[in-house]
Each structure stands twice: as C-alpha cells, then as structure tokens.
Amino acid sequence: MSTHSVVTAIKVIEAVSELQPIGLSDLARHLDASKATTLRTLTTLAEMRWLQQGGPTGTDWLLTSHAYAVGVRGGAMGTLREAALGPMHQLQLESTETIHLAIPDGEVLILAERIDTPHALRAFLALGSRIPLHASGTGLAFLSACSDAEIETALSRTLDPVTTQTLTNPAKILAEITAIRNRGYSINVGGLSDGITSLGAPIRSLNGRPIGSVSISGPSSRITPDRFGAMGALVQETALRIGSQYPDL
Amino acid sequence: MSTHSVVTAIKVIEAVSELQPIGLSDLARHLDASKATTLRTLTTLAEMRWLQQGGPTGTDWLLTSHAYAVGVRGGAMGTLREAALGPMHQLQLESTETIHLAIPDGEVLILAERIDTPHALRAFLALGSRIPLHASGTGLAFLSACSDAEIETALSRTLDPVTTQTLTNPAKILAEITAIRNRGYSINVGGLSDGITSLGAPIRSLNGRPIGSVSISGPSSRITPDRFGAMGALVQETALRIGSQYPDL
DNA sequence: AACCGCTGGTTCACACAGTAAACCAATGAG
DNA sequence: CTCATTGGTTTACTGTGTGAACCAGCGGTT
C-alpha cells in the first residue's frame, strides 16, 4: 500500500474529529493502517498542537482548539461570514427568530454562523453541522441558485430522508426549486427536524454564482404560513445585501 | 533541510489560513521551502478538499469550509461549547449583553462561542480570535484559576499592550489576579478594545482545573461600576454551572 | 525588440522519511 | 491462570518526498 504520509495525516485528523475520543488500535483499524504508522502520525500531529491525549482513559486522542482556530479563519468561511454578520443581526431583530448562515462544502452545506433568538423555544443546530441540500431551507435555496447541470448532479445522489417530511423525490424537488425561483425564497416545514420551519434565500456573489444561503428558522408554531410572505421578503433582502458586499468566489 | 512531509503540510495549512489569499512563490518563501515541495503539498491538500485555488488572481490559495467543519467538532471545542450554550443563553437574557466563551490554545485563549446582545451598540470579536491572557476579562479570569507556576510562565512572556489601558506590568497583573480570586470575577475596562468593559469568570472542570472562561462584554457606557456586583455574580454562577456539567480535561 | 524580475508550474536523481511486521508490557474478562 | 485486548516500541527495507535546476508566461523599463 503506497500512501502519502500527508494523506494519512489528514485522514487521521478527520477521523479523530469525527470519532473522538478514540484510541490507537481503534483508529488504526478504522484507517486500515498499521498501529506504528498511526501512532507516529498521531504524535507528530500532537507536536503540531492539532491533537492531544486525554479523555476518559487518558490515552484516547482528541482534537485541540488549535484546529478550530485555524479552520475558522478562512476563505469563504472568514470573509463571507464577516460580511454576513451585520445583515444577519438585523434580520434577527426584524424576525425575532434564529438566523443561519450556510456555506457549501462539497455536496453539503455547512452551518457557518448562527444568530440566536431570545425565545426559550428555538431551533438548534450546532455550528459546523453538515446540512443536506435537499432537506433544508438553506439547502433548497442554495440549489435554486445553481445551474441546471449542478442541480442534476446534486439530485442524482441518494437523497436520504432526515424526517418523515423530507423531500426525497427528485421530480418534486425540481418542482420545488422552480417554485422557489418564482417566489424568491424557500420554505421548509419539518424537512430537517420535526416541528421546525425555515425560510431561506441564496446568497449570490457579484458574478451571480451561489456562495451560500441564509435562513430564518423557528418552531412551526411561530413561523406560520400567514407570516411566510413578510418573513420571506426579509430573508431575500438580507441575502441580497450580503451578496452585494461579497466580491467573488 | 530534512522535514517531515506532514509537518510541512500542517505548516502550509496554517500559513494559508493566516495569509490567504496567497500565491505559491510567496508561500514557499514564507515557509522557507522549495516551490516544488510547497506546490505538491498544496495540491495534495487540495485533493483532500482542505485548500482550493481562487481569489483575485485565480491562482491564489484559500482555505475551504471543509477545514472549518473538521475543526469545530472537537475536544473541548465540541463538548464544552455544547455544555456551555444553555447557561450562556440564560446569562445573555439576564444581562442583556454579549456573552463570550473562551478556550485555551497554547498561551492564548480562543473565542469559541458568542451569544450576541440585541443592542445595536455591542462588543464584537470574531469567532476563532486569539485573545491574550493578560489583556481580556476572559484571560485574566482564566489565569486566576491557574496554578502559581502556570501564572508565572504565562507572565514571563512578553506582554504586548493591545490598547492604552492594557495591563502589561507582571506585578500589577499578579495583584489583579489575587483581587479576582477574592472577588470571584474579573473586571477589564478597555484592556482589549477601547470602550469595551467585560466581566469574566473561569470555568473549572470537576477536578478543579481551568478549562475555559465566560464573560459579559459590552460598551463601558452600559456596563458601569454600579452594575459590576450584580453582573459579576451572574457570570460567576454561569461559569460554575458550565463547569459542573463538564467531566474532565 | 531584448532584457529584466517576477510569476506558477515541471522535471529528476538521491537520501531519508515513512512503512509494515514482529515484538513488549500491561490490563481486564472469563 | 489463560486469552484477547490495549498502547507503545523496535527493526530493516522501500518508495516517498526533497531541493536544485529548469520552463514558459507575464508586465514593466529601456
């Protein structure tokens, strides 16, 4: 087996990130690599302060906060979030609900920023969560700004349902996308988590390419159909404001 | 020069994170490595979806959102933030100001989470920001929970002033630390950014070790000395609640 | 034009870094 | 007391990553 050491290193980081706390043998097995290799990679990564030992047993491996600090600054992550914060705050005040900013990573969106509602009952999604394109307000909004070819490849993947109300039929999703394009914003009732409704709009860079999306999320009891129009207009406007500040991909 | 390839890979990631957008030659010069090595590292990292080309010139290198997604989950970053969110929200409601959660990374703290105030005038600090221990409410609070030896090594470093009001004299900082220990919370008026006052308290794990700190931050015009007592008690209580949920380092 | 200093990217032979298999010591379950 | 784990170490070999030298393209200056 010929592997670049840096490839294994990255795999180690990602595996630890996902499975932590995790022990050496477990990790080596999961990576299908020898323990010696795995351990040496672990120790060098520890020297670089990306990993550390700890956890229940004291010998398990964990990701450090250094990894976080490095990741947050960053391309779209840094500049787009910076540009988005102001408009997102304003949208939070206007809607009084939770505001999400999502950014694409491969075939999913990643929750990049969240402005919380003061309400006790609220939608909750951890930062960094991977959000499937077909199952969320942000995702559907993002798709609606993609080219037909991109949409097709996105929908050609297996579309796992997240809740009982998740759209999984490509044809229905396509219909929904054209609806979104006409309407200007997406509507997702319980598709990502039960009882949560969200309205989303795509953020376009100055050249028109989709670079993320914003959404308003809250309990379906508060975000009722009669408020869709007003709230949808707000998200749409917010997405426009953010995109207009953002120069390019 | 003999270097591990994974070490250079990590250095590349960190350099790109810090300097992006950045070109090949620039990067190689900054890393003191050959362009060949640098480029191959860049391309493998791009294959792993951690980096991508783009930016103004189209050939500059950027960090992807994938790096962020990997970093956020993670050790202290994940579990502690999860445990802290509830109490932080409550503290936000009680104080009506911005709440910060900071976690140690080497010799600084990293801003891990932020709950914003609805006020238009508010303190702002980007997630992932590196916060010097001696110049912030969170930092001083964290120091106050460290052992004397740890404090000494921390204060033996060069203490750069951030504002004109930053404490840089080790003796004065030590005095402040004992004051914090008696008082139960830290007070920082304009030490990190002008016009911002913050009150912080250390978060201790069940075994008593400091693992982070929380703070209330806002304009000095709103966080006035007559409110220090009440607000300080709130932060302190919040830090205790968070720590009591958190098992161990 | 020719020259310059730069850029991103490529090629190649050699050394050394990274690999896997075998091996230890310690722990916990049966 | 076995047996199967665990984390960690040692080894000799091999193939990966290394840096120097090399292209080609670009924008100014002369």
Side-chain angles (χ1 to χ4, degrees), chain A residues 4-7 9-11 13-14 17-18 20 44-45 48-50 52 54-55 62-63 65-77 81-82 85 89 93 103-107 110-118 122 124 126-128 130 249, chain B residues 4-7 9-11 13-14 17-18 20 40 44-45 48-50 54-55 62-63 65-77 81-82 85 89 93 103-107 110-118 122 124 126-128 130 249:
Chain A
H4 303 224
S5 61
V6 1
V7 170
I10 295 293
K11 283 183 183 168
I13 294 177
E14 296 183 350
S17 162
E18 194 174 354
Q20 70 181 176
T44 50
L45 286 174
M48 303 304 284
R49 305 214 329 235
W50 279 61
Q52 79 188 86
L62 306 167
L63 209 61
S65 41
H66 186 71
Y68 172 81
V70 172
V72 257
R73 325 183 175 197
M77 227 35 172
R81 197 177 59 210
E82 203 72 29
L85 269 168
H89 265 111
L93 291 177
I103 292 184
D105 172 31
E107 55 242 34
I110 287 191
L111 181 58
E113 184 61 280
R114 162 175 38 84
I115 312 282
D116 279 300
T117 174
R122 65 172 153 259
F124 177 68
L127 284 186
R130 291 181 157 82
L249 181 71
Chain B
H4 304 224
S5 63
V6 0
V7 170
I10 295 292
K11 284 183 182 169
I13 294 177
E14 296 183 350
S17 162
E18 193 174 354
Q20 67 178 270
R40 202 166 32 74
T44 49
L45 286 173
M48 304 303 285
R49 305 214 331 237
W50 278 62
L62 306 166
L63 209 60
S65 42
H66 186 71
Y68 172 81
V70 172
V72 257
R73 325 181 176 201
M77 227 35 174
R81 196 177 59 210
E82 203 73 29
L85 269 169
H89 265 110
L93 290 178
I103 291 184
D105 172 30
E107 56 242 32
I110 287 191
L111 181 59
E113 184 61 280
R114 163 175 36 86
I115 313 282
D116 278 300
T117 175
R122 65 175 153 257
F124 177 67
L127 283 187
R130 291 181 158 83
L249 181 69

Side-chain angles (χ1 to χ4, degrees), chain A residues 106-108 133-134 142-143 146-159 170 173-174 177 181 209:
Chain A
E107 55 242 34
V108 297
L133 287 172
H134 65 285
F142 185 84
L143 270 181
C146 290
S147 71
D148 292 345
E150 289 166 329
I151 295 178
E152 190 178 349
T153 63
L155 296 186
S156 67
R157 286 184 256 271
T158 43
L159 306 173
I173 297 179
L174 271 175
I177 286 175
R181 285 178 172 162
R209 298 285 309 147

Side-chain angles (χ1 to χ4, degrees), chain B residues 8 10-11 21 25 33 46-47 49 59 61 81 90 120 122 129 136 145 152 249:
Chain B
T8 54
I10 295 292
K11 284 183 182 169
S25 300
E47 280 168 18
R49 305 214 331 237
T59 60
W61 294 86
R81 196 177 59 210
Q90 190 181 331
R122 65 175 153 257
S129 299
S136 62
E152 191 179 350
L249 181 69

Side-chain angles (χ1 to χ4, degrees), chain B residues 91 94-95 97 137 140 165 176 179-180 182-191 195-201 214-238:
Chain B
L91 181 58
E94 291 165 346
S95 67
E97 294 295 343
L140 291 169
Q165 312 193 48
E176 183 57 31
I180 295 170
N182 293 331
R183 194 192 298 129
Y185 57 93
S186 70
I187 301 173
N188 185 332
V189 182
I196 299 292
T197 293
S198 68
L199 311 178
V214 247
S215 72
I216 301 181
S217 298
S220 306
S221 54
R222 275 206 306 267
I223 306 192
T224 44
D226 56 297
R227 303 179 67 194
F228 285 177
M231 282 186 150
L234 287 177
V235 214
Q236 209 178 337
E237 186 196 339
T238 304

Side-chain angles (χ1 to χ4, degrees), chain A:
Chain A
M1 182 75 75
S2 66
T3 37
H4 303 224
S5 61
V6 1
V7 170
T8 54
I10 295 293
K11 283 183 183 168
V12 164
I13 294 177
E14 296 183 350
V16 170
S17 162
E18 194 174 354
L19 305 169
Q20 70 181 176
I22 188 172
L24 170 64
S25 299
D26 247 2
L27 190 58
R29 207 174 305 125
H30 185 265
L31 294 174
D32 201 22
S34 74
K35 283 195 295 180
T37 304
T38 308
L39 182 61
R40 201 166 33 76
T41 310
L42 284 170
T43 51
T44 50
L45 286 174
E47 281 168 17
M48 303 304 284
R49 305 214 329 235
W50 279 61
L51 302 180
Q52 79 188 86
Q53 272 185 303
T57 72
T59 59
D60 282 348
W61 294 86
L62 306 167
L63 209 61
T64 66
S65 41
H66 186 71
Y68 172 81
V70 172
V72 257
R73 325 183 175 197
M77 227 35 172
T79 55
L80 179 51
R81 197 177 59 210
E82 203 72 29
L85 269 168
M88 286 175 72
H89 265 111
Q90 190 180 331
L91 181 57
Q92 198 286 314
L93 291 177
E94 291 166 345
S95 67
T96 77
E97 295 294 343
T98 300
I99 311 302
H100 285 158
L101 169 69
I103 292 184
D105 172 31
E107 55 242 34
V108 297
L109 293 184
I110 287 191
L111 181 58
E113 184 61 280
R114 162 175 38 84
I115 312 282
D116 279 300
T117 174
H119 289 295
L121 177 64
R122 65 172 153 259
F124 177 68
L125 210 52
L127 284 186
S129 298
R130 291 181 157 82
I131 307 169
L133 287 172
H134 65 285
S136 61
T138 46
L140 290 169
F142 185 84
L143 270 181
S144 77
C146 290
S147 71
D148 292 345
E150 289 166 329
I151 295 178
E152 190 178 349
T153 63
L155 296 186
S156 67
R157 286 184 256 271
T158 43
L159 306 173
D160 298 320
V162 180
T163 72
T164 56
Q165 311 192 47
T166 306
L167 289 179
T168 56
N169 181 332
K172 287 193 177 176
I173 297 179
L174 271 175
E176 183 57 31
I177 286 175
T178 56
I180 295 171
R181 285 178 172 162
N182 292 331
R183 195 193 297 130
Y185 58 93
S186 70
I187 301 174
N188 185 334
V189 182
L192 188 58
S193 37
D194 280 316
I196 298 292
T197 292
S198 69
L199 310 178
I203 301 173
R204 298 166 186 270
S205 70
L206 289 182
N207 60 29
R209 298 285 309 147
I211 54 177
S213 59
V214 247
S215 73
I216 301 181
S217 297
S220 305
S221 54
R222 274 206 306 267
I223 305 192
T224 44
D226 56 298
R227 303 179 66 194
F228 285 177
M231 284 186 148
L234 287 177
V235 213
Q236 207 177 336
E237 186 197 339
T238 305
L240 264 171
R241 291 238 321 278
I242 298 173
S244 73
Q245 297 183 28
Y246 199 74
D248 211 352
L249 181 71

Side-chain angles (χ1 to χ4, degrees), chain B residues 150-208:
Chain B
E150 289 166 329
I151 293 177
E152 191 179 350
T153 62
L155 296 186
S156 67
R157 286 183 257 273
T158 42
L159 305 173
D160 297 320
V162 181
T163 71
T164 56
Q165 312 193 48
T166 307
L167 289 179
T168 56
N169 181 332
K172 288 194 177 177
I173 297 179
L174 272 176
E176 183 57 31
I177 287 175
T178 56
I180 295 170
R181 283 177 173 162
N182 293 331
R183 194 192 298 129
Y185 57 93
S186 70
I187 301 173
N188 185 332
V189 182
L192 188 59
S193 36
D194 281 315
I196 299 292
T197 293
S198 68
L199 311 178
I203 301 173
R204 297 167 187 271
S205 69
L206 289 180
N207 59 28

Side-chain angles (χ1 to χ4, degrees), chain B residues 13-41:
Chain B
I13 294 177
E14 296 183 350
V16 170
S17 162
E18 193 174 354
L19 305 169
Q20 67 178 270
I22 187 173
L24 170 62
S25 300
D26 248 1
L27 190 57
R29 207 173 305 127
H30 185 264
L31 294 174
D32 202 21
S34 74
K35 283 193 296 179
T37 304
T38 306
L39 181 61
R40 202 166 32 74
T41 309

